[in-house]
Amino acid sequence: MYITPQDELHVEYQGIALTCPHCQTLTHLTATATPKFDDLSQRKPKQVGVVFRCDACGEPVFLKFAVKAYTPARIELAQNYLEIERARENFPLTYLPEEAEGLFREALNCYAAGCFNAFGAMSRRTAQSLFRELGEQGKLDLFDTLQEIRSLAELDDETFAALRAVLFGSDSDPWPNQPDLDPQRAGILLEIMRDLLYQTFVRKARLMQAMTFRRFVAPTQIAAN
Ligand SMILES: [Zn+2]
């Protein structure tokens, strides 16, 4: 990926695709404002910001790229980029107990803002709130669900140990009582939290709703003969 002396951004064949922070669609982006080649060549910033347009909704999406090299013919940019505004993570929060709902909502905001350790800390608080709400048996059930996710998702031992420590560790454990989370582990933790909360609350609540609905709309039995 590079910027030409004609101020044009050249992107690889497949282009850039991401989940748009405005319309939540996985979509391609079109560059609409690329900084000027001459200006960049003169100042040589370490990062370059480009404004794109979401091909689905037309709203602006701002990305930052690290510069790999300044040459007279092109300014080469790194493949990966930093999203300034990330798509919000959706989760049916209303199915959670009230306190956990508030805590996990904030956890999702931390994740969307790219504050991954804050996300880890709020996920732990969400878990602590649930342990209190569900009691000792509930905590054991949550742990079983976590084990299940581990084997389903084929998590490696190291990742699993770190994420278990985030959710089930105690604040009175020796420092650091909570392991640091890099973006990759935070992403895995997010999927674990989703699945854990879904299995524990959403699935049951939806099933109960569906059962109640069926009881009311059960078709009249047709008598044999
Ligand atoms: Zn969009």
Side-chain angles (χ1 to χ4, degrees):
M1 219 171 119
Y2 57 91
I3 298 172
T4 67
Q6 290 74 42
D7 304 332
E8 279 167 359
L9 179 73
H10 269 248
V11 186
E12 278 184 16
Y13 174 69
Q14 291 174 325
I16 295 175
L18 51 69
T19 304
C20 170
H22 307 285
C23 67
Q24 321 282 332
T25 316
L26 179 63
T27 175
H28 281 275
L29 301 179
T30 305
T32 52
T34 307
K36 296 206 179 328
F37 183 90
D38 288 343
D39 204 33
L40 290 174
S41 302
Q42 208 179 357
R43 296 170 189 271
K44 294 191 171 50
K46 292 194 185 80
Q47 299 179 89
V48 167
V50 182
V51 180
F52 293 83
R53 182 190 63 222
C54 165
D55 284 358
C57 72
E59 292 296 316
V61 178
F62 186 65
L63 301 180
K64 278 205 296 194
F65 300 82
V67 177
K68 272 165 56 183
Y70 284 98
T71 72
R74 56 170 70 173
I75 298 168
E76 281 193 44
L77 305 179
Q79 279 284 332
N80 39 5
Y81 48 78
L82 189 71
E83 290 169 72
I84 305 307
E85 208 182 340
R86 293 165 61 102
R88 283 179 60 105
E89 297 292 333
N90 290 319
F91 187 85
L93 288 162
T94 48
Y95 289 101
L96 304 183
E98 199 181 342
E99 191 183 54
E101 177 189 339
L103 293 168
F104 193 55
R105 182 190 309 278
E106 206 168 310
L108 291 177
N109 288 341
C110 292
Y111 186 85
C115 302
F116 299 120
N117 281 304
F119 167 65
M122 290 310 294
S123 294
R124 172 182 267 207
R125 285 195 60 187
T126 306
Q128 285 170 343
S129 159
L130 294 176
F131 301 157
R132 237 167 59 100
E133 178 94 19
L134 302 172
E136 201 51 38
Q137 186 54 45
K139 185 175 178 180
L140 291 173
D141 290 345
L142 281 171
F143 193 74
D144 286 345
T145 310
L146 182 66
Q147 292 282 8
E148 213 177 279
I149 295 170
R150 174 199 199 171
S151 54
L152 279 176
E154 296 173 8
L155 290 181
D156 64 83
D157 293 348
E158 202 189 331
T159 305
F160 177 73
L163 299 181
R164 185 187 53 200
V166 170
L167 295 181
F168 286 85
S170 163
D171 290 351
S172 57
D173 286 345
W175 189 262
N177 59 45
Q178 206 176 333
D180 276 345
L181 290 184
D182 58 18
Q184 199 197 353
R185 282 205 173 150
I188 296 172
L189 177 63
L190 175 66
E191 293 311 320
I192 287 179
M193 287 299 285
R194 273 179 185 289
D195 204 65
L196 207 60
L197 297 174
Y198 191 89
Q199 296 290 349
T200 311
F201 297 102
V202 184
R203 190 174 164 203
K204 181 175 177 194
R206 286 197 175 153
L207 201 59
M208 300 298 280
Q209 279 174 356
M211 292 298 183
T212 308
F213 176 72
R214 287 293 162 202
R215 230 165 270 149
F216 281 110
V217 299
T220 325
Q221 286 238 319
I222 297 163
N225 293 338

